[in-house]
């Protein structure tokens, strides 16, 4: 291993902030205030919601309250995958019918292009490149799952998806041992921090008030309570994703799942020649404890996985610091995928949390009796899903306030979905730790086997998790 622990920049929120710089902090809330809509959380969901509300109704007084600074959470730490996946689609198909879920999938396909459009229109330079998503299989069992997954996606109307054998996969990206892959054009690489900074700048220019360093401790009808005062508004929208457990009464609403990443030093031209990856696709795999990666605009590989998945008591970290064992595990994936990069140094490591509902389904809701709304539970697919959620919240607010009617978005099957709470501790901690230990054991068993059957361990873990 060429990377020593001391040479890796560990934490500091994320590589994306090290690359683009920390923002200057906006003023905290200065006392009690009022608004037409108050949004709790200054990440993608909150900023996109503010953007679409002000675009639709410029007269609205919209206030965003953020505990640290915009993009401090998952919006500034993710893998930069803008893609069409949405958590819970199959469950929504069972609950509401296949065609309803097809409509949800089509909305997600369109969302990728919507983000690209708005970024271009608003002058947000976020290193966007729409190269699609390539997901690879490196074992017989993964290949069987990949073929099933490919056929499943086609059944949801994705007719432009392509299936490759080993040779076709290598023509896109030369992943060692890859025996097949599936590619969709509905995906793009981006720089997460450049997007969130650009969004914050744009919404402020539209007249949205953003208060940073302003933690919301409690949300109740028409009130967002902070240590510095209370903002009163007819609509209070919770857009807190992985930090939801910190709000009063929400300890068990969504589980803050930890995800970790590394970024290499910039690769040389010769190293990129050995890897391929000329199309700048985002890269994933069909492992149970899956990885995700991108080729950054400055020529690095940024690669992530689950690491230490959960902290006891739904705690969240402060600065993104990552355990050394997780850094080494992610580097092992990098070298297993690309043996020619065995000497490449890891330059940065970081972690962040994402929101996981008990049934692993993303949701968006506005309670018309209280004016309380929320969106989230993206389970790692939030870069694009936040945009669809925000446009849906906009339509729900306009419907409730009499400024608009029902739309295609308000009728999507994830709207108003109810989820039971997570188990209390220590059951929550024991369950999640056991779940990911089982997934990793299943992956190891499949790598050492030639069986096309998925490990029975993973099937058991899926049932316990409530994912199927």
């Amino acid at each position: 291993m060429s990377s020593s622990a001391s040479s890796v920049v560990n934490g500091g929120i994320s590589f994306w902030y090290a690359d683009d710089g920390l923002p200057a902090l906006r003023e905290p809330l200065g006392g009690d205030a009022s608004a037409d809509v108050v949004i709790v959380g200054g990440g993608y969901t909150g900023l996109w919601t503010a953007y679409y509300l002000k675009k639709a109704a410029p007269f609205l007084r919209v206030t965003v309250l953020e505990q640290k600074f915009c993009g401090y959470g998952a919006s500034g730490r993710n893998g930069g995958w803008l893609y069409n996946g949405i958590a819970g689609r199959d469950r929504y198909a069972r609950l509401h019918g296949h065609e309803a879920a097809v409509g949800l999938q089509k909305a997600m396909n369109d969302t990728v292009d919507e983000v690209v459009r708005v970024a271009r229109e608003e002058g947000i330079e976020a290193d966007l490149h729409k190269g699609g998503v390539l997901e690879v299989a490196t074992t017989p069992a993964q290949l069987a799952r990949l073929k099933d997954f490919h056929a499943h996606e086609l059944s949801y109307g994705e007719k432009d998806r392509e299936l490759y054998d080993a040779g076709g996969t290598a023509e896109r990206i030369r992943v060692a041992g890859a025996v097949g892959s599936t590619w969709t054009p509905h995906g793009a690489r981006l720089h997460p921090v450049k997007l969130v900074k650009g969004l914050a700048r744009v919404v402020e220019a539209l007249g949205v008030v953003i208060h940073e360093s302003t933690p919301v401790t409690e949300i109740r009808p028409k009130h967002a309570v902070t240590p510095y005062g209370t903002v009163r508004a007819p609509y209070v929208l919770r857009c807190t994703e992985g930090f939801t457990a910190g709000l009063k009464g929400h300890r068990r609403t969504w589980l803050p799942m930890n995800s970790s990443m590394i970024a290499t030093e910039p690769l040389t031209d010769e190293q990129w020649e050995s890897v391929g990856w000329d199309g700048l696709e985002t890269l994933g795999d069909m492992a149970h404890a899956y990885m995700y990666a991108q080729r950054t605009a400055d020529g690095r590989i940024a690669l992530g996985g689950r690491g230490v998945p959960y902290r006891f008591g739904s705690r969240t970290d402060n600065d993104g610091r990552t355990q050394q064992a997780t850094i080494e595990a992610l580097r092992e994936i990098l070298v297993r995928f690309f043996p020619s990069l065995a000497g490449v140094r890891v330059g940065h490591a970081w972690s962040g949390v994402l929101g996981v509902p008990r049934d692993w389904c993303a949701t968006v809701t506005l309670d018309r009796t209280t004016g309380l709304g929320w969106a989230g539970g993206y389970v790692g697919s939030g870069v694009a899903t936040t945009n669809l959620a925000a446009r849906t919240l906009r339509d729900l607010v306009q419907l409730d306030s009499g400024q608009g009617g029902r739309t295609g978005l308000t009728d999507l099957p994830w709207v108003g979905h109810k989820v039971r709470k997570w188990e209390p501790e220590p059951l929550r901690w024991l369950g999640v730790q056991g779940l990911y230990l089982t997934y990793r054991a299943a992956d190891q068993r499949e790598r050492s086997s030639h069986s096309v059957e998925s490990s029975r361990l993973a099937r058991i873990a899926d049932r316990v998790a409530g994912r199927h």
Side-chain angles (χ1 to χ4, degrees):
M1 178 181 294
S2 110
S3 296
S4 69
S6 61
S7 68
V8 178
V9 178
N10 192 341
I13 304 174
S14 71
F15 160 74
W16 310 115
Y17 277 111
D19 180 56
D20 200 61
L22 292 173
L25 292 180
R26 297 170 174 88
E27 288 295 314
L29 181 67
D32 290 347
S34 64
D36 297 313
V37 181
V38 59
I39 295 168
V40 181
Y44 290 151
T45 306
L47 293 174
W48 278 125
T49 302
Y51 175 81
Y52 287 110
L53 281 169
K54 286 294 279 188
K55 281 288 195 178
F59 56 85
L60 284 177
R61 297 175 301 144
V62 179
T63 296
V64 175
L65 303 176
E66 164 55 42
Q67 68 167 337
K68 297 282 190 175
F69 55 80
C70 290
Y72 175 80
S75 300
R77 309 191 198 192
N78 62 79
W81 271 47
L82 177 72
Y83 87 119
N84 67 339
I86 185 166
R89 184 194 60 189
D90 289 352
R91 188 180 296 271
Y92 290 130
R94 292 195 295 273
L95 292 172
H96 301 278
H98 183 72
E99 285 310 306
V102 169
L104 182 59
Q105 184 60 64
K106 183 180 185 306
M108 280 304 306
N109 297 349
D110 294 342
T111 294
V112 174
D113 292 326
E114 170 68 5
V115 173
V116 173
R117 180 193 69 80
V118 173
R120 184 186 306 117
E121 189 175 283
E122 299 291 355
I124 300 172
E125 297 292 338
D127 298 341
L128 270 159
H129 181 88
K130 193 181 176 189
V133 183
L134 186 75
E135 293 172 277
V136 301
T138 57
T139 69
Q142 285 187 23
L143 183 61
R145 283 199 301 277
L146 181 134
K147 289 178 177 177
D148 287 345
F149 170 72
H150 178 84
H152 200 54
E153 297 307 293
L154 295 183
S155 76
Y156 282 99
E158 204 180 323
K159 303 306 182 187
D160 41 9
R161 178 175 283 274
E162 299 176 5
L163 184 67
Y164 302 127
D165 60 12
T169 302
E171 288 178 13
R172 281 194 172 271
I173 306 177
R174 288 190 279 279
V175 174
V179 290
S181 63
T182 178
W183 175 82
T184 175
H186 302 294
R189 172 211 73 188
L190 58 76
H191 188 300
V193 163
K194 291 181 179 179
L195 177 61
V196 77
K197 283 183 177 180
L199 272 176
R201 170 182 56 79
V202 168
V203 300
E204 274 194 313
L206 291 173
V208 173
V209 175
I210 301 176
H211 292 296
E212 295 180 326
S213 303
T214 304
V216 172
T217 56
E218 183 181 2
I219 292 173
R220 55 178 188 261
K222 298 179 172 56
H223 296 77
V225 182
T226 85
Y228 311 120
T230 297
V231 181
R232 291 168 174 79
Y235 299 101
V236 183
L237 307 180
R238 190 187 80 225
C239 302
T240 48
E241 185 58 359
F243 291 88
T244 301
L247 290 166
K248 183 177 180 180
H250 288 283
R251 176 71 67 186
R252 293 162 53 198
T253 298
W254 290 332
L255 184 139
M257 185 78 76
N258 204 51
S259 199
S260 300
M261 294 196 70
I262 58 173
T264 69
E265 63 187 353
L267 272 57
T268 65
D269 291 344
E270 292 76 19
Q271 287 168 328
W272 279 121
E273 175 61 30
S274 72
V275 168
W277 215 336
D278 296 332
L280 307 185
E281 304 91 340
T282 54
L283 172 66
D285 75 348
M286 297 304 294
H288 301 292
Y290 53 84
M291 57 77 72
Y292 50 94
Q294 68 150 284
R295 176 175 175 169
T296 68
D298 65 346
R300 305 169 192 265
I301 293 177
L303 180 149
R306 281 292 175 262
V308 177
Y310 175 69
R311 296 168 188 258
F312 189 87
S314 292
R315 293 196 308 273
T316 55
D317 72 275
N318 291 320
D319 65 355
R321 190 163 180 82
T322 300
Q323 291 188 6
Q324 184 60 30
T326 298
I327 298 172
E328 292 170 1
L330 292 174
R331 193 177 192 287
E332 188 274 330
I333 295 172
L334 173 73
V335 174
R336 175 153 43 88
F337 271 49
F338 306 114
S340 64
L341 303 184
V344 168
R345 193 178 72 86
V346 172
H348 208 119
W350 70 100
S351 297
V353 293
L354 49 100
V356 180
R358 187 60 183 86
D359 65 357
W360 302 70
C361 290
T363 58
V364 57
T365 297
L366 179 67
D367 184 337
R368 301 186 71 175
T369 64
T370 64
L372 296 177
W374 57 90
Y378 306 122
V379 196
S381 299
V383 179
T385 313
T386 50
N387 179 277
L388 179 61
R391 286 182 283 131
T392 306
L393 279 174
R394 171 203 60 195
D395 288 1
L396 290 170
V397 168
Q398 290 205 288
L399 173 64
D400 185 73
S401 61
Q403 297 167 19
R406 299 186 71 85
T407 69
L409 299 185
T410 62
D411 290 336
L412 289 174
W414 70 328
V415 174
H417 179 70
K418 291 181 173 58
V419 186
R420 69 182 174 93
K421 291 183 180 294
W422 281 88
E423 291 79 1
E425 296 291 22
L427 297 177
R428 195 158 68 242
W429 186 87
L430 290 169
V432 178
Q433 299 300 321
L435 178 70
Y436 276 91
L437 283 172
T438 304
Y439 280 142
R440 290 188 184 104
D443 287 329
Q444 185 61 41
R445 184 171 292 184
E446 290 177 5
R447 281 198 292 272
S448 62
S449 165
H450 296 294
S451 172
V452 299
E453 291 290 323
S454 289
S455 170
R456 184 167 172 270
L457 289 172
R459 295 197 295 273
I460 293 170
D462 282 343
R463 284 199 295 273
V464 171
R467 299 177 79 166
H468 297 294

